[in-house]
Structures are given as C-alpha cells and as structure tokens.
C-alpha cells in the first residue's frame, strides 16, 4: 500500500477575521499548514503530499514546503473555488502509484499520528472510505427559520467527523467525478456515491482551528507537547 495525502489549504477563512488565508495563520511560530504537513508526514506511511494552495500563493507555499525537513515528497498545486474543487485538483496531481489517499484539512494542524495510522490501516484492511470521529458533548437542536426548536436530536447517535479521511484511490476518483458536487467533507461525497463509510476513533487534539478561541486551545496543546505547561 502506498499512501498519498491531499491537503486542501485554499480556503479564505472568513470566520477567523480578515487577513491572510486561514491555512497560513500562525500557531506557535509556524503556519497551520506547516504543522498539518508535518503531522501527516510524521506517519511514515505517507510518502507523497499534495497541497492545494490559494492560486496566487502557489510559489510562496512551494518555498515554505521546501523549507520543511521531511521525508515525504510535497507538491503544491493551485486550489479551486470550493473545498471539493481543491481536493479534485489535488487528486489530479497525485501519482497513480498512491493507492490509498488521505484527505486532511490544513485547519487541523495537531492531528496525532495514531489517528493518521488508524485511518490508513482501515483503508488497507479493505474499507473503501474511513472517517475519524469523536462523540458530541453538546446537546444538538434542530431549529427552524423562526428560531423555534423543531426537535432535539438523539446525541448518542451523532458523531463529529474529523480528518484525515481515508479512501481507496479509485473510490475517491469516482466520487469526485460527479458534476456540481460540493460537500463539507470528502466522505460526504463518497457516501452520496453509494459507498459504505467506516468510522474509527478520532481524537480531540485533531480539532479544527476555525475561530480565535480554537487558536488559543491549539497553542496550549503545542505548549503541553513541548513540555512547557505554563
Ligand atoms: O472553510 P472550511 O473550514 O470548511 O475549510 C476546510 C479546509 O478546506 C481548509 O483547510 C481550507 O483551506 C480548505 N479549502 C480549500 N479550498 C476552498 C475552500 C476551503 O482548499 N476553496
């Protein structure tokens, strides 16, 4: 099994406030993207990484990637209008020798190596698509446009989906071949294409850095990992 990884990093990240693309926000002295690439390359199984960067930042992202001392090969391509477009463009640049593909958000900089290995191993064991998930701690309400609660969803049946999501390369190519597709995650596309999607345990530290508070939490995790707890 040869594992390739696509990192969509072309989002503008409006929820973080104005400024540079979200993937280039700084966390403990490096961009979220650098952390995410290092985290994926930490799994020795990942041999090839394709980053989808904002179209006007392909060259600068390429130099940034060149400065990382990692064993995996890293290519940078221009991302697209939507996340799905960025993944499709990343997949087009992925060598055919990679038979297992992991798709990982640049916005999840601290994914632990165990999660990466667990997802890759489940694909290797024959699952067409694999998603790491965590339980949901808040009670979830479905609401209508008037601001009324329609129902309370049974939390025990719900999970929050993280990345990397893993796919057999053929399955991901088929799922991405549809027209006008967009999904907030790739497993959603694969699900719609009719394939079964397996879940494996994720990890709270694979959190998505979306809002300013998330950055504070991520910084605390980095400090704890490097032994500086205060
Ligand atoms: O906006 P959201 O948090 O859902 O973005 C998830 C990931 O998809 C981010 O890493 C973002 O950079 C990426 N993305 C992309 N191309 C887009 C939109 C989002 O690569 N057009």
């Amino acid at each position: 099994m040869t594992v390739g990884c696509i990192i969509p990093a072309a989002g503008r990240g409006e929820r973080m406030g104005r400024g540079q693309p979200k993937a280039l926000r700084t966390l403990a002295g490096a961009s979220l993207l650098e952390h995410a690439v290092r985290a994926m390359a930490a799994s020795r199984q990942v041999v090839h990484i394709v980053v989808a960067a904002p179209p006007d930042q392909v060259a600068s992202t390429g130099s940034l990637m060149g400065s990382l001392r990692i064993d995996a090969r890293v290519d940078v391509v221009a991302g697209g209008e939507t996340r799905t477009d960025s993944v499709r463009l990343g997949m087009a640049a992925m060598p055919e020798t990679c038979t297992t593909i992991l798709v990982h958000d640049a916005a999840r900089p601290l994914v632990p190596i165990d999660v990466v290995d667990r997802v890759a191993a489940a694909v290797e064991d024959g699952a067409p698509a694999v998603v790491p998930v965590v339980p949901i701690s808040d009670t979830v309400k479905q609401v209508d446009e008037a601001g009324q609660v329609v129902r309370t969803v049974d939390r025990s049946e719900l999970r929050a989906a993280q990345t990397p999501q893993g796919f057999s390369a053929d399955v991901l190519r088929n799922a991405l071949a549809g027209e006008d597709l967009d999904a907030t995650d790739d497993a959603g596309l694969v699900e719609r294409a009719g394939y079964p999607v397996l879940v494996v345990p994720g990890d709270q530290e694979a959190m998505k850095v979306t809002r300013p508070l998330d950055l504070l939490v991520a910084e605390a995790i980095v400090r704890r990992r490097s032994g500086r707890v205060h």
Side-chain angles (χ1 to χ4, degrees), residues 6-51:
I6 298 170
I7 302 192
R12 286 183 296 274
E14 278 88 3
R15 282 164 295 181
M16 270 289 199
R18 297 165 79 88
Q20 81 263 54
K22 180 166 66 180
L24 298 178
R25 292 288 158 114
T26 303
L27 164 63
S31 63
L32 296 182
L33 176 61
E34 288 168 272
H35 284 282
V37 169
R38 277 210 192 91
M40 295 305 293
S43 165
R44 313 303 293 182
Q45 304 196 57
V46 175
V47 295
H48 199 114
I49 297 175
V50 178
V51 175

Short mmCIF file of all heavy atoms in Angstrom, two decimals, residues 6-51:
data_model
loop_
_atom_site.label_atom_id
_atom_site.label_comp_id
_atom_site.label_asym_id
_atom_site.label_seq_id
_atom_site.Cartn_x
_atom_site.Cartn_y
_atom_site.Cartn_z
N ILE A 6 -3.71 14.47 0.42
CA ILE A 6 -4.09 15.76 -0.17
C ILE A 6 -4.44 16.70 0.98
O ILE A 6 -5.20 16.32 1.88
CB ILE A 6 -5.32 15.61 -1.09
CG1 ILE A 6 -5.01 14.68 -2.26
CG2 ILE A 6 -5.79 16.97 -1.60
CD1 ILE A 6 -6.23 14.28 -3.07
N ILE A 7 -3.86 17.90 0.96
CA ILE A 7 -4.20 18.89 1.99
C ILE A 7 -4.83 20.10 1.32
O ILE A 7 -4.13 20.92 0.70
CB ILE A 7 -2.95 19.30 2.82
CG1 ILE A 7 -2.34 18.04 3.45
CG2 ILE A 7 -3.32 20.34 3.87
CD1 ILE A 7 -1.30 18.30 4.51
N PRO A 8 -6.18 20.23 1.38
CA PRO A 8 -6.81 21.42 0.84
C PRO A 8 -6.52 22.60 1.77
O PRO A 8 -6.85 22.55 2.95
CB PRO A 8 -8.31 21.08 0.80
CG PRO A 8 -8.50 19.96 1.75
CD PRO A 8 -7.16 19.29 1.96
N ALA A 9 -5.86 23.62 1.24
CA ALA A 9 -5.43 24.76 2.07
C ALA A 9 -5.71 26.06 1.35
O ALA A 9 -5.00 27.05 1.54
CB ALA A 9 -3.93 24.63 2.38
N ALA A 10 -6.75 26.06 0.51
CA ALA A 10 -7.00 27.23 -0.32
C ALA A 10 -8.17 28.09 0.19
O ALA A 10 -8.59 29.02 -0.48
CB ALA A 10 -7.27 26.79 -1.77
N GLY A 11 -8.68 27.74 1.38
CA GLY A 11 -9.83 28.49 1.91
C GLY A 11 -9.43 29.88 2.39
O GLY A 11 -8.29 30.11 2.76
N ARG A 12 -10.40 30.79 2.38
CA ARG A 12 -10.10 32.16 2.80
C ARG A 12 -10.26 32.34 4.30
O ARG A 12 -9.69 33.27 4.87
CB ARG A 12 -10.97 33.16 2.03
CG ARG A 12 -10.50 33.30 0.59
CD ARG A 12 -11.32 34.34 -0.14
NE ARG A 12 -12.71 33.92 -0.24
CZ ARG A 12 -13.18 33.14 -1.21
NH1 ARG A 12 -12.36 32.71 -2.15
NH2 ARG A 12 -14.44 32.81 -1.26
N GLY A 13 -11.05 31.49 4.95
CA GLY A 13 -11.12 31.52 6.41
C GLY A 13 -11.74 32.76 7.00
O GLY A 13 -11.22 33.34 7.94
N GLU A 14 -12.91 33.14 6.47
CA GLU A 14 -13.57 34.36 6.96
C GLU A 14 -13.89 34.30 8.46
O GLU A 14 -13.92 35.32 9.12
CB GLU A 14 -14.89 34.61 6.20
CG GLU A 14 -14.70 35.30 4.85
CD GLU A 14 -14.46 34.32 3.73
OE1 GLU A 14 -14.49 33.09 4.02
OE2 GLU A 14 -14.21 34.75 2.59
N ARG A 15 -14.14 33.10 8.98
CA ARG A 15 -14.55 33.02 10.38
C ARG A 15 -13.44 33.42 11.35
O ARG A 15 -13.66 33.66 12.51
CB ARG A 15 -15.03 31.59 10.72
CG ARG A 15 -16.43 31.32 10.23
CD ARG A 15 -16.73 29.85 10.21
NE ARG A 15 -15.88 29.16 9.26
CZ ARG A 15 -15.93 27.86 9.01
NH1 ARG A 15 -16.77 27.11 9.67
NH2 ARG A 15 -15.14 27.30 8.13
N MET A 16 -12.19 33.45 10.84
CA MET A 16 -11.06 33.86 11.68
C MET A 16 -10.88 35.38 11.67
O MET A 16 -9.97 35.91 12.28
CB MET A 16 -9.76 33.25 11.14
CG MET A 16 -9.45 31.92 11.74
SD MET A 16 -8.97 32.11 13.45
CE MET A 16 -8.14 30.57 13.68
N GLY A 17 -11.70 36.07 10.91
CA GLY A 17 -11.50 37.51 10.75
C GLY A 17 -10.75 37.76 9.46
O GLY A 17 -10.31 36.81 8.80
N ARG A 18 -10.60 39.03 9.09
CA ARG A 18 -9.96 39.34 7.81
C ARG A 18 -8.47 39.09 7.90
O ARG A 18 -7.91 38.97 8.96
CB ARG A 18 -10.24 40.80 7.47
CG ARG A 18 -11.72 41.06 7.28
CD ARG A 18 -12.00 42.52 7.31
NE ARG A 18 -11.65 43.13 6.03
CZ ARG A 18 -12.50 43.21 5.02
NH1 ARG A 18 -13.71 42.73 5.14
NH2 ARG A 18 -12.14 43.77 3.90
N GLY A 19 -7.84 39.02 6.74
CA GLY A 19 -6.39 38.82 6.77
C GLY A 19 -5.98 37.72 5.82
O GLY A 19 -6.65 37.48 4.83
N GLN A 20 -4.88 37.06 6.12
CA GLN A 20 -4.37 36.06 5.20
C GLN A 20 -5.21 34.78 5.25
O GLN A 20 -5.99 34.60 6.18
CB GLN A 20 -2.89 35.77 5.49
CG GLN A 20 -2.63 34.83 6.64
CD GLN A 20 -2.32 35.55 7.93
OE1 GLN A 20 -3.08 36.40 8.39
NE2 GLN A 20 -1.22 35.20 8.54
N PRO A 21 -5.03 33.87 4.26
CA PRO A 21 -5.78 32.62 4.28
C PRO A 21 -5.57 31.88 5.60
O PRO A 21 -4.49 31.93 6.18
CB PRO A 21 -5.17 31.82 3.12
CG PRO A 21 -4.54 32.83 2.25
CD PRO A 21 -4.12 33.97 3.13
N LYS A 22 -6.63 31.19 6.01
CA LYS A 22 -6.61 30.50 7.31
C LYS A 22 -5.41 29.56 7.46
O LYS A 22 -4.81 29.50 8.53
CB LYS A 22 -7.92 29.72 7.47
CG LYS A 22 -8.03 28.96 8.75
CD LYS A 22 -9.45 28.49 9.00
CE LYS A 22 -9.92 27.48 7.98
NZ LYS A 22 -11.29 27.04 8.23
N ALA A 23 -5.09 28.85 6.38
CA ALA A 23 -4.01 27.86 6.48
C ALA A 23 -2.67 28.50 6.78
O ALA A 23 -1.74 27.84 7.21
CB ALA A 23 -3.92 27.07 5.18
N LEU A 24 -2.56 29.83 6.54
CA LEU A 24 -1.27 30.50 6.77
C LEU A 24 -1.25 31.26 8.10
O LEU A 24 -0.29 31.95 8.42
CB LEU A 24 -0.95 31.42 5.60
CG LEU A 24 -0.80 30.66 4.27
CD1 LEU A 24 -0.53 31.61 3.12
CD2 LEU A 24 0.31 29.60 4.34
N ARG A 25 -2.35 31.15 8.87
CA ARG A 25 -2.33 31.74 10.22
C ARG A 25 -1.23 31.07 11.05
O ARG A 25 -0.97 29.88 10.88
CB ARG A 25 -3.67 31.51 10.93
CG ARG A 25 -4.81 32.27 10.31
CD ARG A 25 -4.65 33.73 10.64
NE ARG A 25 -5.39 34.53 9.68
CZ ARG A 25 -6.45 35.27 9.97
NH1 ARG A 25 -6.89 35.33 11.19
NH2 ARG A 25 -7.04 35.98 9.04
N THR A 26 -0.66 31.85 11.95
CA THR A 26 0.47 31.33 12.72
C THR A 26 0.03 30.67 14.01
O THR A 26 -0.79 31.20 14.76
CB THR A 26 1.44 32.48 13.05
OG1 THR A 26 1.82 33.08 11.82
CG2 THR A 26 2.68 31.97 13.76
N LEU A 27 0.59 29.50 14.26
CA LEU A 27 0.39 28.77 15.51
C LEU A 27 1.78 28.41 16.03
O LEU A 27 2.52 27.69 15.36
CB LEU A 27 -0.43 27.50 15.26
CG LEU A 27 -0.42 26.43 16.35
CD1 LEU A 27 -1.03 26.96 17.64
CD2 LEU A 27 -1.18 25.19 15.89
N ALA A 28 2.14 28.96 17.18
CA ALA A 28 3.43 28.66 17.80
C ALA A 28 4.58 28.76 16.81
O ALA A 28 5.39 27.84 16.66
CB ALA A 28 3.39 27.27 18.44
N GLY A 29 4.65 29.88 16.08
CA GLY A 29 5.81 30.16 15.24
C GLY A 29 5.80 29.54 13.86
O GLY A 29 6.73 29.75 13.08
N ALA A 30 4.77 28.76 13.51
CA ALA A 30 4.69 28.19 12.16
C ALA A 30 3.24 28.28 11.69
O ALA A 30 2.33 28.39 12.51
CB ALA A 30 5.18 26.74 12.16
N SER A 31 3.04 28.22 10.37
CA SER A 31 1.67 28.30 9.86
C SER A 31 0.92 27.01 10.18
O SER A 31 1.52 25.95 10.38
CB SER A 31 1.68 28.54 8.36
OG SER A 31 2.29 27.43 7.71
N LEU A 32 -0.42 27.12 10.20
CA LEU A 32 -1.25 25.92 10.41
C LEU A 32 -0.88 24.87 9.36
O LEU A 32 -0.79 23.68 9.66
CB LEU A 32 -2.74 26.26 10.28
CG LEU A 32 -3.34 27.23 11.30
CD1 LEU A 32 -4.84 27.39 11.04
CD2 LEU A 32 -3.11 26.74 12.73
N LEU A 33 -0.64 25.34 8.11
CA LEU A 33 -0.31 24.40 7.04
C LEU A 33 0.99 23.64 7.31
O LEU A 33 1.06 22.42 7.11
CB LEU A 33 -0.21 25.17 5.71
CG LEU A 33 0.22 24.33 4.51
CD1 LEU A 33 -0.79 23.22 4.22
CD2 LEU A 33 0.38 25.22 3.27
N GLU A 34 2.02 24.36 7.78
CA GLU A 34 3.29 23.67 8.08
C GLU A 34 3.07 22.60 9.16
O GLU A 34 3.59 21.48 9.06
CB GLU A 34 4.35 24.66 8.56
CG GLU A 34 4.88 25.57 7.46
CD GLU A 34 5.69 26.72 8.05
OE1 GLU A 34 5.09 27.77 8.38
OE2 GLU A 34 6.92 26.54 8.19
N HIS A 35 2.30 22.96 10.20
CA HIS A 35 2.02 21.98 11.25
C HIS A 35 1.30 20.77 10.65
O HIS A 35 1.63 19.62 10.97
CB HIS A 35 1.12 22.59 12.33
CG HIS A 35 1.82 23.52 13.26
ND1 HIS A 35 2.62 23.08 14.30
CD2 HIS A 35 1.82 24.87 13.34
CE1 HIS A 35 3.08 24.13 14.96
NE2 HIS A 35 2.62 25.23 14.41
N ALA A 36 0.29 21.05 9.79
CA ALA A 36 -0.53 19.95 9.25
C ALA A 36 0.33 19.03 8.37
O ALA A 36 0.21 17.80 8.45
CB ALA A 36 -1.70 20.52 8.45
N VAL A 37 1.20 19.62 7.56
CA VAL A 37 2.06 18.80 6.68
C VAL A 37 3.00 17.96 7.53
O VAL A 37 3.19 16.76 7.30
CB VAL A 37 2.83 19.70 5.69
CG1 VAL A 37 3.92 18.92 4.96
CG2 VAL A 37 1.87 20.33 4.69
N ARG A 38 3.60 18.58 8.56
CA ARG A 38 4.50 17.83 9.44
C ARG A 38 3.76 16.70 10.15
O ARG A 38 4.27 15.59 10.28
CB ARG A 38 5.10 18.74 10.51
CG ARG A 38 6.30 19.51 10.04
CD ARG A 38 7.26 19.77 11.22
NE ARG A 38 8.25 20.75 10.82
CZ ARG A 38 8.09 22.06 11.00
NH1 ARG A 38 7.02 22.53 11.62
NH2 ARG A 38 9.01 22.89 10.58
N ALA A 39 2.52 16.99 10.59
CA ALA A 39 1.74 15.97 11.32
C ALA A 39 1.45 14.78 10.42
O ALA A 39 1.53 13.63 10.84
CB ALA A 39 0.43 16.57 11.84
N MET A 40 1.14 15.04 9.14
CA MET A 40 0.84 13.93 8.23
C MET A 40 2.12 13.17 7.87
O MET A 40 2.12 11.94 7.80
CB MET A 40 0.16 14.44 6.96
CG MET A 40 -1.22 15.05 7.21
SD MET A 40 -2.36 13.94 8.08
CE MET A 40 -2.62 12.67 6.86
N ALA A 41 3.21 13.90 7.67
CA ALA A 41 4.47 13.26 7.29
C ALA A 41 5.06 12.47 8.46
O ALA A 41 5.89 11.59 8.26
CB ALA A 41 5.47 14.30 6.80
N ALA A 42 4.60 12.78 9.68
CA ALA A 42 5.09 12.05 10.85
C ALA A 42 4.70 10.57 10.76
O ALA A 42 5.35 9.71 11.33
CB ALA A 42 4.53 12.66 12.14
N SER A 43 3.61 10.29 10.03
CA SER A 43 3.26 8.89 9.79
C SER A 43 4.15 8.42 8.65
O SER A 43 4.06 8.94 7.54
CB SER A 43 1.79 8.77 9.40
OG SER A 43 1.59 7.49 8.85
N ARG A 44 4.99 7.46 8.92
CA ARG A 44 5.97 7.02 7.91
C ARG A 44 5.28 6.44 6.69
O ARG A 44 5.88 6.25 5.64
CB ARG A 44 6.94 5.96 8.50
CG ARG A 44 7.51 6.30 9.85
CD ARG A 44 8.25 7.61 9.87
NE ARG A 44 9.48 7.57 9.07
CZ ARG A 44 10.32 8.58 8.94
NH1 ARG A 44 10.08 9.72 9.56
NH2 ARG A 44 11.40 8.45 8.22
N GLN A 45 3.99 6.12 6.82
CA GLN A 45 3.26 5.54 5.69
C GLN A 45 3.02 6.57 4.58
O GLN A 45 2.85 6.20 3.43
CB GLN A 45 1.90 5.06 6.16
CG GLN A 45 1.97 4.07 7.29
CD GLN A 45 0.64 3.35 7.43
OE1 GLN A 45 0.16 2.72 6.49
NE2 GLN A 45 0.05 3.44 8.59
N VAL A 46 2.97 7.84 4.95
CA VAL A 46 2.62 8.89 3.97
C VAL A 46 3.88 9.25 3.17
O VAL A 46 4.82 9.82 3.71
CB VAL A 46 2.05 10.14 4.68
CG1 VAL A 46 1.79 11.27 3.69
CG2 VAL A 46 0.77 9.78 5.42
N VAL A 47 3.89 8.91 1.86
CA VAL A 47 5.09 9.15 1.06
C VAL A 47 4.98 10.36 0.15
O VAL A 47 5.97 10.90 -0.32
CB VAL A 47 5.46 7.91 0.20
CG1 VAL A 47 5.83 6.73 1.08
CG2 VAL A 47 4.34 7.54 -0.75
N HIS A 48 3.74 10.79 -0.13
CA HIS A 48 3.54 11.87 -1.09
C HIS A 48 2.43 12.78 -0.59
O HIS A 48 1.35 12.31 -0.25
CB HIS A 48 3.16 11.28 -2.45
CG HIS A 48 3.39 12.21 -3.59
ND1 HIS A 48 4.31 11.98 -4.57
CD2 HIS A 48 2.82 13.39 -3.89
CE1 HIS A 48 4.30 12.99 -5.44
NE2 HIS A 48 3.39 13.85 -5.04
N ILE A 49 2.70 14.08 -0.54
CA ILE A 49 1.69 15.04 -0.07
C ILE A 49 1.46 16.07 -1.18
O ILE A 49 2.41 16.58 -1.77
CB ILE A 49 2.18 15.76 1.21
CG1 ILE A 49 2.34 14.73 2.34
CG2 ILE A 49 1.20 16.88 1.63
CD1 ILE A 49 2.93 15.29 3.64
N VAL A 50 0.18 16.32 -1.50
CA VAL A 50 -0.15 17.38 -2.46
C VAL A 50 -0.95 18.45 -1.70
O VAL A 50 -2.00 18.15 -1.13
CB VAL A 50 -0.99 16.86 -3.64
CG1 VAL A 50 -1.35 18.01 -4.58
CG2 VAL A 50 -0.23 15.78 -4.41
N VAL A 51 -0.42 19.67 -1.68
CA VAL A 51 -1.09 20.79 -1.02
C VAL A 51 -1.81 21.61 -2.08
O VAL A 51 -1.22 21.97 -3.09
CB VAL A 51 -0.06 21.69 -0.29
CG1 VAL A 51 -0.74 22.94 0.29
CG2 VAL A 51 0.65 20.91 0.81
#
